[in-house]
Amino acid sequence: MTKRVIALLVGIDRYLDTSPLRGCRNDVRAVADFLRVRFRGNERPDICILEDAQATRDAVITGLRDHLGQAGPGDTALFWFSGHGSQAKVPDELWHLEPSGTMQTLICHDSRHGDVADLWDKELSLLLSGIAVTGCHVVVVADSCHSFGVTRDTIRAVPPLETAPMIDSLLPELRRLAALPPVEHVELAACASGESAVETWADGEARGLFSWSLLSAMRRLGPSATYRELLTAARCDVERHAYQQVPQLEPVTPGIADQPFLGGRITPSATGMRMRGVRGEWEIDAGSCHGLSIGPDNDDVRVAVPGPELREARVVRVHPERSVVRPLGWEPDEDLQYPVVVSRVPTPAVTVGVDGEHAPTGDQVLAALATMGPGGGPSPHLRMLKSHEKRTPELVIDVREPDRVRIRDGEGTALCDEMTDIQRDGGRRVAAALEHLARVRRVKALVNPFSALVDAVSVELVDAFAGELTAPMDRPALRPSMDGAVHLRYRQEHGRWVPPTIFVRLRNDSDRPLYYVLLNITEKHRVHAGLFPGAQVAPGRVGAALYGRPVELRLPVGTPVEDGATTQDWLVLLAAEKEFSSSPFELPAVDEAWPGRTRAPLAVTGLLGRLGLAAVHRDAGATANSACDWVTLAVPVVTRVPASRDEKVSASR
């Protein structure tokens, strides 16, 4: 059991000789707030924060040695770094430490100023070894570019050093590093070593996308969530904004990564929120450190008292550990405390920007967006960024050529096929595709920031062996890889490629029946519930997709089955205490979207169905007539055709 949590949090926005960042200090301050709420009383965490000029190379090394060095047996030592990352050549004297000749580095405030070196990954490993030798649990979170292996729109990276640093500028203990046993610790990194970590705008301020996503997952999933589960949940948030940034987990093998975040004795998650009267106001015992946020646009977030009659309260002010609410249309009894659940979550419009010089084509698309909403008004799904907003749009309209439009994300990844002949329909096909992509993003973003069901539901993917027709009840589930996704492979049989097949199990570990729907979000941005359209799963029981039949994962129609071809699906489980309709969530592929195609379903049941209606169709008049607890869970699945050298691989993993 964890005795203490000792944390060193480093956030650097200002550097002596490196370009500035904007969200690193916000990152570590949010982490500190989270830790202080999660660990209370006698177990209050021992936190040291180094920001900007405080975070010199010497100060970070001293913080690792002296502050984290206090950790003893049973304690947890957390090192969280938000800032620039880079790479550097290895000095000849240390060639034996890295066969690639290049090491990953963290950039401290004074790194590369004069003869001050970066903090090398091998130096960090050495320092962590000195901490872990006491028997404590060591955790590293690195939100920087090239961050995987260092055991951010704005990119948290600087160019690599072309020359190796002087050996005397590095820790002298590096010469004997190879003789030390490897240190066992958990590392959660913003991206792979060849990728870029980005900053974004979240909760009204600049933030590191990975730090914000990981904290959101920690709040939502609660103290029992494992590192592996947190990494998968964080990847879901990251990928909504940055397709070319994939968070990483190390180690990926069973063991330390499957224990709860920060280890043992922590404040248990509450069984639910309660609303009570305090000094003439009503408040709930959940705040920003639990994931509640009303955002800069004053989003309508509500809670409700469970029961047959809908009694809601709107969140009007959010504090770190509590929130002030205003009852809507009813008068609570000041002598009572009311259990409440989340009944409405923010569904902010997706931000859009224009890139390219062909103004006539761009103007046609913008004009279509301005008239596609109810009554001929602007689209409610999208919001054009103003010129003064210093943030990367979530969707970009690329109009570099006349009468041709590409839609991509903020990082430049194409999200659908190029569209031509824009003049023919005045840009309405492009506008419809943008609206469709926004809807799909909101389906993936639908989460309950405070649910008592987070530990009760799970999605399990299981290998299907040759000839099997029914899902096995107890076969171990496939484990996500270091990027949080379950990876499946085509295999060769008799000279042809055969797609992988799996079974999908849906488990209910709660003490009450829950209604499940399993959505599949495909690479073509289609959302469907064909795998499990809706059924009740009894307490302690398991449901199966396709009534227990094997599920085949194929490349999209039209995609050649060739070396290296890859597709990705998201399996999104929706679970609630009462039955709900899956129909609001159903969407066609993006290339089938056209003006007027998507309309609100006529029959919608249950709170989650109403939330889906609001998120996907923007039906402001849709409200639930009762409230219940609900939760969502997303699992990314990557299906790949192995490269030629791997053609003999017969396993589906």
Side-chain angles (χ1 to χ4, degrees), residues 262-348:
L262 298 185
R265 197 169 61 235
I266 50 185
T267 304
S269 58
T271 57
M273 293 178 288
R274 303 192 77 83
M275 187 179 81
R276 63 186 183 275
V278 180
R279 295 182 296 276
E281 293 183 318
W282 287 92
E283 69 178 30
I284 57 175
D285 49 1
S288 60
C289 285
H290 303 94
L292 282 183
S293 171
I294 55 178
D297 300 322
N298 201 29
D299 299 313
D300 190 3
V301 182
R302 300 183 187 182
V303 296
V305 180
E309 178 186 357
L310 187 66
R311 292 177 291 174
E312 285 188 309
R314 182 179 180 182
V315 178
V316 296
R317 194 163 63 252
V318 178
H319 300 285
E321 76 290 350
R322 62 185 177 87
S323 298
V324 177
V325 300
R326 181 178 298 126
L328 300 175
W330 64 293
E331 293 290 338
D333 187 332
E334 294 183 356
D335 294 327
L336 297 179
Q337 292 189 12
Y338 296 86
V340 291
V341 295
V342 174
S343 60
R344 180 175 292 188
V345 292
T347 55

Side-chain angles (χ1 to χ4, degrees), residues 506-558:
L506 310 175
R507 192 175 296 276
N508 177 8
D509 290 322
S510 76
D511 58 357
R512 73 206 80 172
L514 298 176
Y515 193 85
Y516 283 16
V517 166
L518 183 65
L519 302 177
N520 183 11
I521 304 178
T522 72
E523 184 126 314
K524 294 292 187 180
H525 309 285
R526 178 191 174 204
V527 184
H528 69 88
L531 295 176
F532 199 88
Q536 189 179 83
V537 180
R541 300 285 295 181
V542 179
L546 297 183
Y547 300 98
R549 301 195 306 275
V551 177
E552 190 175 75
L553 278 298
R554 288 181 170 271
L555 296 175
V557 174

Side-chain angles (χ1 to χ4, degrees), residues 212 235-243 394 441 444-445:
W212 176 80
R235 173 177 174 162
C236 183
D237 278 333
V238 167
E239 194 165 288
R240 293 204 311 269
H241 302 274
Y243 276 76
E394 297 171 72
R441 282 172 175 259
K444 288 179 66 176

Side-chain angles (χ1 to χ4, degrees), residues 35 55 159 181 209 328 494 500 548 573 605 620:
L35 293 175
L209 177 56
L328 300 175
H494 308 296
L573 177 63
T605 59

Side-chain angles (χ1 to χ4, degrees), residues 14 25 30 51 83 110 116 124 129 165 202-203 284 310 385 388 415 421 450 476 552 565 605 619 623 646:
R14 296 290 179 265
R25 290 181 300 178
E51 296 180 349
D110 57 346
V116 179
L124 181 57
S129 296
D203 297 334
I284 57 175
L310 187 66
L385 283 181
H388 66 275
L415 300 179
D421 199 13
F450 198 95
E552 190 175 75
T605 59
D619 189 337
T623 57
D646 300 324

